[in-house]
Every structure is written in structure tokens, then in C-alpha cells.
Amino acid sequence: VITGKTALKKRKRKNSMNDNDKIYMEESRAVLIRGEARENVVQPLLRERQLVLYVNGREETSFSCTPERIEELILGYLLSEGEIESLDEVTGMEIGRVQAEVICRRNRPEKERARQPAIFKPEEVRRYISLFFERSFRHRKTHASHKAMLFTAGQDSRFLEADDVSRRSAVEKVIGLGLKERIVFEQSCLMFSGRVPADVVRKMKQVGIPLLIGRSYPTWEAVQEAKKSGLILCGNAREDSFVLYAGNL
């Protein structure tokens, strides 16, 4: 179990960049002004990419995202918006600098029986939250990055993680990772940074994820959507507490 003190100590590390960071981050010179004093500083800033997505020849949507895990972002979007139900339905994908094209085919002769969702306990939720804070490395470096983590339930629990300048893109990236890893979404939980809007709740319903944890507060519409969908919704997550807004633990 990761304690709050452990996570706090990790946050005190210097925000130095390494070669892997340069994929999504650049250092920028700036001037820190505090009262009458001025100080030259170097700050790590996230890089941002604009991408237009075409599905079967039609313009579907556009993304403002961090330039990494673009394939996972597209797959997560398609799954969470109901465009596909499995990885096998994607027959082609080409990713360019400013646009991406995907070819999908519907292959749904018979709807699979829905799997029974996992049963979660409060101590599991606290463990997920603690690990989420421990692994928020990029946010501690830039103070501008959102994070999403997908946890599988049970004794053989594992996690997947994604970071992005956009919270929705972070969510879609980790869903795409789960799709590629053949995760059973009904036996998983997703936590992400930022407030919880209703459209993210609808994405969980579409994918089949039964438990959603938000770092911040949900909107009123998100809570109503969660109650209507039978989703367990937690928010205002801290290292020692969280608020249960919908469902039961």
C-alpha cells in the first residue's frame, strides 16, 4: 500500500527532463515575477498536437492532444463513442501529422452476453487513489498534464496508464490501451484527473467500466447520468478520503 507520505516525498523531486520527456515536453525560458523581484527560470512545458480523425472517409472529430499514443487515443475514442465494439472491427489505420484515417467494418452478428461487473470495496478504491497520486509524475513536472489509469479488479490486479494535455484524451488513451491489451472492462475501474462531466460517465457506460473515480468534483448531470446508468461514481479523491456520489461500495 502506498501511503500519503510516500507520495508526498516523491513530489519533492526536481523537475529535470530526460530523453523520454522530449517526446511530449520542451523546456522554455521565462521570467518569474514575485513582488518587485524578477528571476530567470527554465520551465518544462507540454507539447500539443491538433489532429483531425476521419472514419470510413467522413470527418468524425478532432483532437487536441499530447503527441504520443495516438493509435490508442483513436481506438479509445472509437470504442467509447460506440463506433466499434472490438479491435477486430478496425481493418486499417493511417496516422499523419495533422490527420488520421481509420477504416472500420461492422462485424456484430450476435451481441455477446454482458459480463457481470466486478464488486469493489472501499479499501480497493483507496489503494487505486494512492497509486494514482504516486504515479502522477508528469503532472508534478509540468502542472499541466492530466492522467488516467485503468485498474483491473481481483487478486491479480494490474494497471494501465496514460497522460495527456486533455483529460478526455487521457481517458480515451487508457481505454485504447485496455482494448489492445484485451482487458475485460467490466472487471475494471478507471480513475482520471480533473472534474467529472456527464460525457465521461457516458463513455464508461458505453465501454462497460462499472467504477469511475474523479480527482475532482462531478457535475450534477454526471451524478444523475451515473445513477441512471448504474455506475459507481466517486469524486473529490484525496490520499485519505473520497466521496461516493452514485452506486454502492
Side-chain angles (χ1 to χ4, degrees):
V1 176
I2 306 297
T3 66
K5 289 183 178 179
T6 302
L8 185 61
K9 287 179 181 178
K10 290 181 180 291
R11 289 176 195 165
K12 294 180 180 179
R13 292 177 178 175
K14 292 183 178 179
N15 293 334
S16 57
M17 284 180 59
N18 55 47
D19 290 338
N20 292 330
D21 293 337
K22 294 177 181 178
I23 298 172
Y24 61 85
M25 194 165 59
E26 292 286 350
E27 289 184 336
S28 177
R29 297 183 182 276
V31 178
L32 172 63
I33 301 175
R34 183 183 290 116
E36 298 298 322
R38 292 174 177 245
E39 178 185 355
N40 292 324
V41 296
V42 176
Q43 291 191 331
L45 300 179
L46 286 176
R47 296 179 61 194
E48 184 180 3
R49 177 177 177 180
Q50 304 296 320
L51 187 73
V52 180
L53 175 64
Y54 291 84
V55 178
N56 294 336
R58 76 179 190 277
E59 184 175 333
E60 176 71 22
T61 190
S62 61
F63 302 103
S64 175
C65 58
T66 304
E68 61 178 345
R69 296 197 182 279
I70 302 300
E71 180 181 340
E72 289 82 358
L73 169 63
I74 293 170
L75 291 173
Y77 170 83
L78 294 173
L79 184 66
S80 64
E81 291 296 321
E83 293 288 338
I84 61 172
E85 290 186 354
S86 73
L87 193 58
D88 298 332
E89 294 182 23
V90 179
T91 60
M93 183 184 301
E94 185 175 340
I95 301 173
R97 189 174 64 85
V98 296
Q99 70 180 48
E101 299 186 22
V102 178
I103 303 299
C104 300
R105 60 178 175 84
R106 302 275 178 165
N107 184 23
R108 311 175 190 179
E110 184 177 346
K111 183 81 172 179
E112 286 189 14
R113 185 178 178 181
R115 297 182 177 92
Q116 186 69 20
I119 298 174
F120 296 92
K121 298 180 180 180
E123 55 267 30
E124 290 179 283
V125 175
R126 285 192 289 268
R127 180 165 58 88
Y128 299 151
I129 293 171
S130 182
L131 189 57
F132 183 90
F133 280 111
E134 180 198 0
R135 297 194 62 82
S136 295
F137 309 122
R138 192 174 300 185
H139 174 75
R140 290 196 287 274
K141 280 187 175 182
T142 66
H143 301 283
S145 180
H146 284 284
K147 186 174 194 68
M149 294 184 71
L150 188 68
F151 303 92
T152 59
Q155 292 183 342
D156 298 326
S157 179
R158 56 181 293 206
F159 66 86
L160 302 172
E161 57 188 330
D163 298 86
D164 200 274
V165 68
S166 159
R167 64 170 176 270
R168 284 183 181 82
S169 293
V171 167
E172 288 162 351
K173 282 181 178 180
V174 84
I175 290 173
L177 278 169
L179 183 63
K180 291 179 70 174
E181 293 289 326
R182 308 287 180 177
I183 294 295
V184 178
F185 288 108
E186 292 83 357
Q187 297 291 314
S188 68
C189 155
L190 192 146
M191 180 173 178
F192 76 108
S193 55
R195 62 179 178 83
V196 184
D199 67 322
V200 173
V201 173
R202 286 191 286 270
K203 287 179 180 292
M204 299 304 105
K205 179 183 177 183
Q206 180 65 40
V207 175
I209 297 172
L211 170 59
L212 175 63
I213 307 170
R215 171 67 179 82
S216 189
Y217 291 86
T219 64
W220 186 89
E221 287 78 9
V223 173
Q224 304 313 306
E225 187 73 31
K227 290 179 178 179
K228 183 175 69 174
S229 304
L231 180 83
I232 302 172
L233 175 60
C234 302
N236 195 21
R238 302 291 183 268
E239 292 181 24
D240 60 352
S241 67
F242 63 91
V243 178
L244 177 63
Y245 289 96
N248 295 299
L249 291 173

